[in-house]
Amino acid sequence: MDGIHDMGGMHGFGAVVAQPGEPVFHEPWEGRVVGLMVAAGAAGLIPGSLRPRIESMDPAAYLAASYYGRWAHALEAGLVATGTLTVDEIDTRVAGGDPVPTRSSATSPALVAAIGGFLDAPGATSGVPVAAAFAVGDRVTVRRMAPEGHHRCPRYVRGVAGTVTRVAGGWPHPGEHEPEAIYTVRFAMADLWGADAEPGSLALDLWERYLA
Amino acid sequence: MDGIHDMGGMHGFGAVVAQPGEPVFHEPWEGRVVGLMVAAGAAGLIPGSLRPRIESMDPAAYLAASYYGRWAHALEAGLVATGTLTVDEIDTRVAGGDPVPTRSSATSPALVAAIGGFLDAPGATSGVPVAAAFAVGDRVTVRRMAPEGHHRCPRYVRGVAGTVTRVAGGWPHPGEHEPEAIYTVRFAMADLWGADAEPGSLALDLWERYLA
Amino acid sequence: MTAGGGHHPAEPTEVERRVAAIESLLVEKGLITSDMVDAVVETYEHDVGPLNGARVVARAWVDDAYRARLLADGTAAVGELGFGGAEGEHLAVLENTPAVHNVVVCTLCSCYPWPVLGLPPRWYKSFAYRSRMVREPRAVLAELGTVLPGDVEVAVWDSSAEVRYLVLPLRPAGSEGLAEDELVPLVTRDHMIGVAR
Amino acid sequence: MTAGGGHHPAEPTEVERRVAAIESLLVEKGLITSDMVDAVVETYEHDVGPLNGARVVARAWVDDAYRARLLADGTAAVGELGFGGAEGEHLAVLENTPAVHNVVVCTLCSCYPWPVLGLPPRWYKSFAYRSRMVREPRAVLAELGTVLPGDVEVAVWDSSAEVRYLVLPLRPAGSEGLAEDELVPLVTRDHMIGVAR
């Protein structure tokens, strides 16, 4: 979907302000939401991907929430979608409960180890070998589109021509299972933003279906 | 600016729901904000245009506000920008004041008449005659751009080719004074949204500077 | 409506309080008078609304010469009936035909031809309408109850600049015997935006 | 950090209460245990952070063969130092040169190479960074304190799909005499995102 999350190029969000010495988590709940997401995934409670659930937030809620606030939304949405929890029971607990979470007396050494395994899983720079319609150096143009589903083709490159700089290998497109070639495509800034753009280039990784 | 207001084509805003028998104003304050905007304009208190002030709202606030809520923001911003009111005095009144506005004992028949004149001012379908680089039937392509200032070129037509269907005349571009030709340009839906788009066409009015 | 005279079933909201504060301050400083604000509210609550547009449409249906003038210069022809003013300075009229259906949106704002339609309804100003009408007009029309035959071409108009658009709907079948005044009630706001056929 | 053990100077917010409710319910139902959540928090608070990336960079600065392997296959070369895992399955390393400066953003989300940099800082996840870095990188870099000479080409990388990017910064002038371990503290998170040169 071409949702509020697709904000590359937009004006109006103000200055970029760094905070020196920033902690990893600003509040304890931020750490818990990351931990819960990983733990619930390791326990098989939340299938599928985080991002479609974040992107389908109401746009006003998306912008009003913090980054981990959006994770919290996706965590809840995932647990509710699978029937693991209901909104009613969460609401009831919020209304009556302690903001300090219950601690379990049990421990799960095996699942903790599984989490370690998940967090440490090795990978490969490139996806699996797959047929590729384009080669390094080819000029490609990003297709016009308006997909309802989750995708990774930001609006700001639609209709723009760039050059393939890498054939990265094959990965399944989100929501699918068969690998499809991904290309790194480099665009001139002026082709994206007009003649008075900053000089330089911008590269991003695009599935073959996005290109012509 | 390419701000949050430029939402043509976006997903995620849900269904369009009409309310049969909807009143002109849902709450009395909605009418007052329209009246205040016009009255303040007639009294010379707010120079310039409403829209740049609405577009420069924080994007989260923009989405959280109702239509007349955004007008209220622009009204306040305009009155504060001219020094007519200060945020402090408005805050103070909000904290201590009555939600029913003060009524003046005075009346302003001349200004009420001026408002009538403003609301009834005749106009012309076309702007002033002006030199035009394009003619009806010409194929034109909308330029890539990323203007910081207020403009009327939505992102969804950038880089797209269409056909001039009308040379509308000349109007000053927002923020300027000299007239510049405006063209009605018609685009095929498939050129905007891809091969699986609904059939049909979309037309909009574009200043000459947007076109090549 | 008198100033702030509505009842408040709930606590006044922040925006309501701020607008009231602004009005009070401007009035107390003598910069505006309440009757100036009242005049605008009265105008759009009672005087200027889709009935104006309906009169224009009915006239165009019965008077071919008027129809031709309306399509050639919307502002002038609408002015013949006494309508004009803010957000109607540059009116263009889009004629529906059996083959083409026009529909109007404003993606960037919520521009609307006030002198002939009044102030826009909430759905016209909604983010859903603004975002979707330019991309999937048939889907949006269907949600609003208008299912168009497949052979009718949909023409969407995004009123992005200075011109405001009014749709001239098709005269309903069976209305041939009706006089101009009898045609007026057949024309709705939705016909003239183009979300009804 | 222990679960919810932080002090709360203000009332718990809605999101804080909801997250606590979810954790409590999952624990009470026996679906997860607290130590699973703790393990993740501990990992990113103490074990996985930009020091990992700094070790990779320092090694590449002193070992040309490693540098070549790192640029050819980021994931494998990072794995040689024992780093890898979630959000680092497919790592690519972007080498700064005197002529080219690389900088990384994720406009759609906030993708980031966790195994070598830890979790991203707030500014990286901010709407301002996500929206602006792809359009005006020099302006954003300047706001963050990095003014690039005009003859350096800026190459922006929007990590839109599966690959996560790590910038290999230039070895600082004057560091020729330093050993690998002495180089590590010279490498910051900001160098490896590309917002510092």
Side-chain angles (χ1 to χ4, degrees):
Chain A
M1 63 184 288
D2 295 342
I4 186 65
H5 66 284
D6 181 6
M7 55 181 63
M10 284 179 66
H11 295 91
F13 290 110
V16 179
V17 181
Q19 175 188 346
E22 180 181 345
V24 172
F25 300 116
H26 288 248
E27 301 282 344
W29 71 267
E30 296 185 345
R32 301 316 285 177
V33 81
V34 175
L36 285 164
M37 192 74 81
V38 174
L45 303 175
I46 307 186
S49 167
L50 170 71
R51 288 172 60 167
R53 295 196 177 98
I54 289 179
E55 294 170 8
S56 60
M57 287 177 76
D58 170 74
Y62 183 105
L63 291 186
S66 70
Y67 178 74
Y68 290 122
R70 294 191 292 277
W71 277 51
H73 171 92
L75 173 68
E76 178 172 334
L79 292 167
V80 169
T82 57
T84 308
L85 299 178
T86 67
V87 172
D88 272 356
E89 70 186 325
I90 300 170
D91 284 348
T92 302
R93 178 62 61 105
V94 166
D98 193 314
V100 178
T102 307
R103 281 204 68 82
S104 56
S105 49
T107 64
S108 314
L111 279 170
V112 168
I115 286 173
F118 163 74
L119 294 180
D120 295 340
T125 306
S126 289
V128 300
V130 73
F134 305 108
V136 169
D138 281 359
R139 287 291 281 179
V140 290
T141 300
V142 182
R143 293 179 190 277
R144 297 280 168 186
M145 61 182 87
E148 297 275 350
H150 176 68
H151 67 80
R152 305 291 180 84
C153 183
R155 286 179 292 167
Y156 73 85
V157 296
R158 306 273 173 84
V160 185
T163 303
V164 173
T165 61
R166 181 175 176 229
V167 183
W171 281 270
H173 188 273
E176 302 187 5
H177 299 287
E178 293 301 314
E180 175 179 320
I182 289 183
Y183 304 88
T184 303
V185 181
R186 177 169 293 184
F187 302 89
M189 282 293 200
D191 290 340
L192 294 169
W193 312 114
D196 55 353
E198 285 190 10
S201 69
L202 180 135
L204 71 175
D205 296 326
L206 297 169
W207 266 275
E208 188 169 294
R209 69 185 61 188
Y210 304 154
L211 302 172
Chain B
M1 63 184 289
D2 294 342
I4 186 65
H5 66 285
D6 181 7
M7 55 182 63
M10 283 178 67
H11 295 91
F13 289 110
V16 179
V17 181
Q19 176 188 345
E22 181 182 346
V24 172
F25 300 116
H26 289 248
E27 300 282 345
W29 71 266
E30 296 185 345
R32 301 318 285 178
V33 81
V34 175
L36 284 165
M37 192 73 81
V38 175
L45 302 175
I46 307 186
S49 167
L50 170 72
R51 288 172 60 166
R53 295 196 178 100
I54 289 179
E55 294 170 8
S56 60
M57 287 177 77
D58 171 73
Y62 183 105
L63 291 187
S66 69
Y67 178 74
Y68 290 121
R70 295 192 291 279
W71 277 52
H73 170 93
L75 172 69
E76 178 172 333
L79 291 167
V80 168
T82 57
T84 308
L85 299 179
T86 68
V87 173
D88 271 357
E89 69 186 325
I90 299 170
D91 284 347
T92 302
R93 178 60 62 104
V94 167
D98 193 317
V100 178
T102 307
R103 282 204 65 85
S104 57
S105 49
T107 64
S108 314
L111 279 171
V112 168
I115 285 172
F118 163 74
L119 294 180
D120 295 341
T125 305
S126 288
V128 300
V130 72
F134 306 108
V136 170
D138 282 359
R139 287 291 282 179
V140 290
T141 300
V142 182
R143 293 179 189 276
R144 297 279 168 187
M145 61 182 86
E148 297 275 350
H150 176 68
H151 67 80
R152 305 291 181 83
C153 183
R155 286 179 292 166
Y156 74 85
V157 296
R158 306 274 173 84
V160 186
T163 303
V164 173
T165 60
R166 181 175 177 229
V167 183
W171 280 270
H173 189 271
E176 303 187 5
H177 299 286
E178 293 301 315
E180 175 179 321
I182 289 183
Y183 304 89
T184 303
V185 181
R186 178 169 293 184
F187 302 90
M189 282 293 199
D191 291 340
L192 295 169
W193 311 113
D196 56 352
E198 285 190 10
S201 69
L202 181 135
L204 72 176
D205 296 327
L206 297 168
W207 266 275
E208 188 168 294
R209 70 185 59 188
Y210 304 153
L211 301 173
Chain C
M1 201 191 83
T2 56
H7 70 113
H8 299 293
E11 277 295 290
T13 59
E14 171 70 13
V15 65
E16 186 172 2
R17 287 186 167 277
R18 290 195 87 75
V19 171
I22 289 167
E23 179 166 356
S24 296
L25 290 165
L26 293 178
V27 161
E28 290 163 23
K29 288 170 190 277
L31 296 169
I32 62 165
T33 55
S34 303
D35 58 354
M36 294 167 70
V37 181
D38 297 345
V40 179
V41 174
E42 294 283 335
T43 296
Y44 291 106
E45 284 201 324
H46 302 299
D47 300 337
V48 176
L51 183 58
N52 290 3
R55 290 190 176 123
V56 170
V57 169
R59 173 70 54 87
W61 282 346
V62 299
D63 180 340
D64 286 346
Y66 181 78
R67 179 195 202 92
R69 294 198 300 280
L70 182 67
L71 295 172
D73 184 340
T75 313
V78 162
E80 291 180 36
L81 302 197
F83 311 132
E87 292 299 316
E89 295 90 344
H90 315 291
L91 265 180
V93 176
L94 309 168
E95 183 180 30
N96 280 350
T97 68
V100 176
H101 180 83
N102 295 287
V103 60
V104 180
V105 61
C106 171
T107 59
L108 297 174
C109 184
S110 294
C111 296
Y112 194 74
W114 294 5
V116 280
L117 293 185
L119 297 178
R122 276 197 174 165
W123 61 260
Y124 183 86
K125 301 175 288 190
S126 71
F127 303 143
Y129 188 77
R130 288 169 55 189
S131 61
R132 294 175 57 203
M133 181 49 85
V134 291
R135 177 170 49 77
E136 47 175 2
R138 284 178 177 270
V140 173
L141 288 168
E143 276 179 25
L144 291 170
T146 300
V147 178
L148 291 177
D151 61 349
V152 173
E153 183 192 326
V154 180
V156 181
W157 299 75
D158 184 357
S159 52
S160 48
E162 301 293 340
V163 176
R164 301 292 170 264
Y165 292 100
L166 181 76
V167 174
L168 175 58
L170 288 171
R171 183 167 173 168
S175 71
E176 296 75 12
L178 299 182
E180 183 177 342
D181 281 357
E182 296 170 308
L183 290 167
V184 170
L186 303 184
V187 186
T188 68
R189 177 196 67 198
D190 289 2
H191 287 122
M192 296 180 282
I193 299 172
V195 296
R197 174 80 170 160
Chain D
M1 203 190 82
T2 55
H7 70 112
H8 299 293
E11 277 295 290
T13 58
E14 171 70 13
V15 65
E16 187 172 0
R17 286 186 169 279
R18 291 195 86 75
V19 171
I22 288 168
E23 179 166 356
S24 296
L25 290 165
L26 293 178
V27 161
E28 290 164 22
K29 289 170 191 276
L31 297 170
I32 63 166
T33 55
S34 303
D35 58 354
M36 295 167 69
V37 181
D38 297 344
V40 179
V41 173
E42 294 283 336
T43 296
Y44 292 106
E45 284 202 323
H46 302 299
D47 301 337
V48 176
L51 184 58
N52 290 2
R55 289 191 177 123
V56 170
V57 169
R59 174 69 55 88
W61 282 346
V62 300
D63 180 340
D64 285 345
Y66 182 77
R67 179 195 201 92
R69 293 199 300 281
L70 183 67
L71 295 173
D73 185 340
T75 312
V78 162
E80 290 180 36
L81 302 197
F83 311 133
E87 292 298 315
E89 295 91 342
H90 314 291
L91 265 179
V93 176
L94 309 168
E95 184 180 30
N96 280 351
T97 69
V100 177
H101 180 83
N102 295 286
V103 58
V104 180
V105 61
C106 171
T107 59
L108 297 175
C109 183
S110 294
C111 296
Y112 195 74
W114 293 5
V116 281
L117 294 185
L119 297 178
R122 277 198 173 164
W123 60 260
Y124 183 86
K125 300 175 288 190
S126 70
F127 303 143
Y129 187 77
R130 289 169 54 188
S131 61
R132 294 176 57 205
M133 180 48 85
V134 292
R135 178 171 48 76
E136 47 175 2
R138 283 178 178 270
V140 174
L141 288 168
E143 276 179 25
L144 291 171
T146 300
V147 178
L148 291 177
D151 61 351
V152 173
E153 183 192 327
V154 180
V156 181
W157 299 75
D158 185 356
S159 52
S160 49
E162 300 293 341
V163 176
R164 301 292 170 263
Y165 292 99
L166 181 76
V167 175
L168 175 58
L170 289 171
R171 182 167 174 166
S175 70
E176 296 75 11
L178 299 183
E180 184 177 342
D181 281 358
E182 296 170 309
L183 290 167
V184 170
L186 303 183
V187 186
T188 68
R189 176 195 68 198
D190 289 3
H191 287 121
M192 295 180 282
I193 299 173
V195 296
R197 174 79 170 160

